[in-house]
């Protein structure tokens, strides 16, 4: 998400929180858990990793992006207008988002996947070489029912970036 100052963060886990850690630990990030919710505040940009029970969550907070792509510009693959993703989060959008990623990877002139404001429910997504995903300021990707199993020795994750080059996740 984009931040220009202070923000309150709330993460809702699928089960009650028994344990959690927030990294980087050098920030000594105070947090409170209550049932299945973890709450804390951030001041300024940064990246955080939260381990809640045995699950990993990533949080990226950046200053506002300059020269961000427009949602309907010809140089973007818009997951809603072109691929039918549901911005309400009520319907799973995995196939629409993955089609946009795959199309951007195959399109030598348009390598940007645009995620407009909204909540997008998705299972695991596989990123591809030379693709940039832009998240609008109020866009939220929610991992749901992550049933894909990685090979032994690897962790499961929502965004798979295995064997990829030149991949970016941008937030503005």
């Amino acid at each position: 998400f984009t931040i220009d100052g202070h923000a309150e963060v709330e993460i809702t886990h699928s089960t009650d929180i028994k344990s959690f850690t927030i990294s980087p630990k050098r920030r000594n990030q105070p947090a409170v858990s209550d049932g299945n919710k973890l709450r804390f505040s951030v001041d300024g940009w940064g990246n955080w990793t939260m381990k809640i029970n045995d699950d990993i969550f990533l949080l990226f907070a950046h200053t506002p992006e300059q020269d961000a792509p427009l949602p309907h510009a010809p140089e973007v693959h818009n997951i809603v207008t072109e691929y039918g993703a549901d911005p309400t989060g009520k319907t799973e959008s995995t196939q629409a988002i993955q089609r946009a990623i795959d199309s951007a990877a195959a399109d030598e002139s348009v390598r940007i996947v645009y995620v407009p404001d909204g909540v997008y429910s998705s299972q695991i997504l596989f990123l591809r070489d030379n693709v940039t995903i832009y998240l609008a300021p109020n866009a939220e990707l929610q991992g749901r029912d992550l049933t894909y199993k990685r090979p032994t020795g690897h962790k499961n994750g929502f965004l798979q970036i295995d064997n990829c080059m030149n991949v970016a996740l941008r937030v503005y």
Side-chain angles (χ1 to χ4, degrees):
F1 67 93
T2 301
I3 186 169
D4 194 15
H6 179 84
E8 297 295 321
V9 176
E10 178 178 282
I11 297 173
T12 303
H13 193 269
S14 59
T15 62
D16 282 349
I17 297 172
K18 305 291 185 217
S19 65
F20 69 87
T21 59
I22 301 175
S23 296
K25 292 183 179 182
R26 72 179 182 282
R27 291 187 181 175
N28 196 24
Q29 187 75 49
V32 174
S33 67
D34 181 20
N36 69 336
K37 297 189 183 303
L38 178 66
R39 295 180 184 92
F40 59 96
S41 59
V42 297
D43 291 302
W45 63 272
N47 301 320
W48 292 264
T49 302
M50 286 76 52
K51 183 174 183 181
I52 301 175
N53 299 336
D54 288 324
D55 298 317
I56 303 291
F57 297 87
L58 303 175
L59 179 68
F60 305 99
H62 299 276
T63 56
E65 176 97 17
Q66 302 297 317
D67 300 320
L70 298 173
H72 303 292
E75 66 269 7
V76 303
H77 291 271
N78 186 312
I79 67 166
V80 173
T81 59
E82 293 179 55
Y83 298 92
D86 175 18
T88 69
K90 294 178 183 173
T91 303
E92 184 182 301
S93 294
T94 307
Q95 291 181 355
I97 299 169
Q98 190 64 58
R99 278 195 321 271
I101 293 168
D102 294 344
S103 293
D107 187 339
E108 292 184 17
S109 64
V110 181
R111 301 273 180 143
I112 298 170
V113 174
Y114 183 85
V115 182
D117 289 342
V119 176
Y120 302 92
S121 178
S122 178
Q123 291 190 28
I124 290 170
L125 297 169
F126 297 89
L127 301 185
R128 304 288 186 232
D129 288 347
N130 304 312
V131 173
T132 297
I133 298 179
Y134 272 87
L135 295 169
N138 294 306
E140 181 178 330
L141 291 174
Q142 292 185 343
R144 297 280 189 230
D145 186 27
L146 304 177
T147 56
Y148 171 77
K149 298 297 181 198
R150 300 270 316 232
T152 303
H154 294 271
K155 292 283 189 179
N156 286 338
F158 173 54
L159 295 174
Q160 299 290 310
I161 314 175
D162 292 340
N163 300 313
C164 291
M165 296 175 27
N166 195 28
V167 175
L169 178 63
R170 309 283 305 263
V171 181
Y172 60 94

